[in-house]
Every structure is written in structure tokens, then in C-alpha cells.
Amino acid sequence: MPLLAFETSCDESSVAVIHRGRVLSNVIASQTKLHEEYGGVVPELAAREHLRNLLPVAESALKAARIKAENVGALAATQGPGLPSALMAGLRAAQSMAFVLRRRFIGIHHHEAHLYSPWIEGDPTQAAFEEFQPNVSLIVSGGHTMLVHVQAELRHQVLGSTLDDAAGECFDKTGKMLGLPYPAGPAIDRLAAEGNPAAFDFPRPMMQDPNHDFSFSGLKTSVRYFLRDRPGLADDPRALRDLCASVQAAIVEVLVTKTIAAAKKLRIGCVTASGGVTCNRALRASLSQACAQSGLKLRLARSDLCTDNAAMIGILAERKLAQGAAGISLDADILPGWELS
């Protein structure tokens, strides 16, 4: 029977229907326009929008999959990490539905779901677990940057993560200093495409360190001082494009260099990447080039599956249940600070 999955860890309300590894539907209601005027996600507004959106989104997902609620065999939802009030909306909705239908329920770790999104492909969209192989996985989202050694299906070890600002935060905070709309990542990507990445030299924090951790607060601070010492530079369209390209180049080089280094150190032949920042065209191109030069296989999550979505939550939930995972209590609480262990 199909599985119904909910994802509400931040500012996207998403519901998906999964059956035998195939994504029958994946509906997403974005809140980007709502939070744009505040320059970031406002947790209480996000929670209210989830409450407003979840029912119509769930109805749309069921309709697109051509199934009725009573035909759902199990339910899943993101249990953490994420914004507490946002997580609560999706988790309680899924638990309530599981209670009414008397179905199993499973809570999913948001980042663990990202680990398997690069293995979701094709048309129709489905999981390609038969192609799975051990890999070093780069997860780069708005609030998280980490490298994970995925040793086997459902078995992994975190190699390193950000010590302060994540890559996505660096993009957004740089964009805010430049007066770009939120989220700044896509805007910087567009402007950088027409700029010179070698125009300005910005630091590459921790790039050559022997560990697998990241730090982007120093780069952000460097941009702040750079702009302070050059008032009006961001008002010059040419200079703005060059600045975006130079900052992006610094972020991308750090991400790619440390990812390739981790794969070589562990002697792993496959690299994967996922999370919202993985939509960045320069990152995708640079990772592709670096993996090709190093003889590594690369799997990138599809752009529509990089950002928060219930399809990846449902795919992982169904896989866990198929491999004998027990459902969890319908009284289980959210885990906003849940670490990927």
C-alpha cells in the first residue's frame, strides 16, 4: 500500500505519495514570497502558513497520485531537525492521520533523507537503490553544511560539519549586505554567471585543514569589511556581478576541495551532493569537473529534489519500513536539534 509523507521542517509545506520506491506525487507549497520582506524565515509565520497549507497540499498529493486517504498504508513525517513550530505542524498532522486510519507512523531525520535524494531519478521518478554504492555525501543547505560517509544503505557516519555559518547562510548574509532579495543564493548564482570569479580575492576558510569541518563566518566577515572599505561598489552593476562571482567561487572551491579530499582519504569511489545550495550551477559544474578529474563517480540530487520536499522523506521512510524498521509512537515529539548520528 502507498505511503504518505509530510515535510515541514522550515518554510516549505510538502506532501508526497510513495509506492514501491516510486514517487506518485510530490506537492510543495513554498513560502518564499511571504518571508522575502523580512530577509529570512520567521518561524511563527512559517508555522501559520503550514497550518493553512497542509490540508490542501495533502489533498492535492492524494489526488495527483489517484488514491484515497483510506488506501494509504503508512505515514511518515520529518521529525527533525528544523524549526520547532514548523516541525510540529507536519508531525502532528501525520500522526493524527495515522491514528484515524490505524496505520504505522515513522519519523524521519531530514538530513538522512537528503543523503538518499541523489538516488531518486528518472521519469517516472523513483528510487534507484539497486545502483547504490558507498559514498561520501555533501549536504549543503541554508543552515547546514556537512560531509557524511555513507557506508551502506541506512548506515552512515558524519565526517565533519560547519563550525559556524553554513554555506547557505554565507550566501544569504552576503546577499543581504549587497541588497539582494531573499533568498540570496539564486540571485548570486544569476549575477555570478556574468561576473569574473577572479576579480576579487576572498579567503577560503579551512580549505587545506586536514579535518572535514567547514567554517564560513570568516568569509562573510571579509565581505563585510571589503564593502565597508569600498562604499558604493555594490551600486556598480559590473562590480556587483564580479563580487558575486568572486564570493561564490570562494564558497564553491572550499566545498569541492574538502569533498574530493574526503573521498580520496577514505578511498571511496562515489560522491553525492544534495541540499538547497546544490542547485547552484557553479557548484554542480565544479563538482562534476573535479570528480571527473579524480576518477570519481558523481550523483547530484535533481534540482527539484535539492530543496525541502516530502518525496525524499517518503522514499527513506518506505525503505526503512521495508527493511524492518518499527513505526514510532503516535505521541512521539519533534526533535528540533536531532543530530545525524
Side-chain angles (χ1 to χ4, degrees):
M1 296 176 73
L3 178 144
L4 189 67
F6 291 74
E7 154 57 32
T8 61
S9 62
C10 191
D11 61 337
E12 268 98 16
S13 306
S14 181
V15 179
V17 178
I18 310 297
H19 186 48
R20 295 179 179 175
R22 182 175 171 183
V23 181
L24 301 185
S25 64
N26 182 39
V27 180
I28 303 172
S30 175
Q31 301 179 19
T32 300
K33 289 295 182 183
L34 174 67
H35 300 283
E36 186 177 307
E37 64 175 297
Y38 302 102
V41 177
V42 181
E44 286 307 313
L45 287 180
R48 291 176 190 174
E49 280 300 295
H50 285 313
L51 293 175
R52 182 178 292 112
N53 293 335
L54 270 179
L55 182 56
V57 168
E59 289 176 338
S60 295
L62 290 168
K63 183 177 181 180
R66 297 181 179 179
I67 69 166
K68 296 180 179 180
E70 54 265 31
N71 298 131
V72 170
L75 289 104
T78 303
Q79 193 172 4
L83 301 176
S85 54
L87 285 168
M88 186 72 76
L91 189 77
R92 293 297 184 236
Q95 287 172 325
S96 299
M97 193 168 176
F99 175 78
V100 171
L101 296 174
R102 297 183 180 181
R103 300 290 193 264
R104 283 187 298 173
F105 169 77
I106 186 170
I108 294 297
H109 192 295
H110 182 80
H111 297 149
E112 187 179 7
H114 272 306
L115 290 178
Y116 297 96
S117 60
W119 304 94
I120 306 173
E121 59 181 23
D123 184 15
T125 304
Q126 58 188 8
F129 284 111
E130 69 280 359
E131 299 177 15
F132 179 86
Q133 64 185 94
N135 62 86
V136 166
S137 188
L138 173 67
I139 301 177
V140 220
S141 61
H144 301 276
T145 300
M146 64 178 70
L147 281 171
V148 183
H149 178 198
V150 186
Q151 299 136 326
E153 276 190 48
L154 310 183
R155 187 159 61 90
H156 52 263
Q157 177 186 5
V158 176
L159 299 173
S161 60
T162 185
L163 302 178
D164 39 59
D165 284 354
E169 289 175 307
C170 191
F171 272 119
D172 285 337
K173 291 176 180 178
T174 295
K176 193 169 186 178
M177 287 186 275
L178 295 175
L180 300 178
Y182 172 85
I188 290 177
D189 188 1
R190 289 192 297 271
L191 290 167
E194 300 177 355
N196 176 11
F200 307 111
D201 186 23
F202 289 106
R204 271 70 168 163
M206 299 183 71
M207 187 170 73
Q208 301 302 331
D209 286 14
N211 59 47
H212 303 298
D213 291 322
F214 298 90
S215 169
F216 291 101
S217 65
L219 173 56
K220 174 199 66 182
T221 302
S222 177
V223 174
R224 177 181 291 117
Y225 289 146
F226 179 88
L227 291 171
R228 181 200 65 185
D229 297 338
R230 297 165 180 78
L233 181 142
D235 297 326
D236 178 347
R238 178 75 256 176
L240 177 61
R241 292 193 290 270
D242 287 345
L243 180 57
C244 286
S246 298
V247 173
Q248 177 178 269
I251 295 173
V252 167
E253 187 175 356
V254 171
L255 294 173
V256 173
T257 299
K258 301 210 75 164
T259 301
I260 299 299
K264 288 181 176 179
K265 183 177 181 179
L266 294 172
R267 297 182 180 180
I268 298 296
C270 179
V271 166
T272 69
S274 58
V277 178
T278 309
C279 289
N280 181 276
R281 290 172 293 175
L283 175 58
R284 296 176 82 89
S286 185
L287 260 179
S288 297
Q289 182 180 17
C291 284
Q293 291 174 346
S294 299
L296 299 170
K297 181 178 180 180
L298 174 65
R299 291 190 74 107
L300 296 168
R302 260 175 26 188
S303 294
D304 61 322
L305 296 174
C306 283
T307 52
D308 296 345
N309 66 90
M312 67 179 188
I313 302 299
I315 287 289
L316 178 58
E318 187 183 57
R319 195 67 173 178
K320 282 177 172 283
L321 292 172
Q323 294 194 13
I328 66 171
S329 170
L330 296 183
D331 296 321
D333 207 348
I334 57 172
L335 300 171
W338 195 3
E339 293 186 2
L340 184 63
S341 59

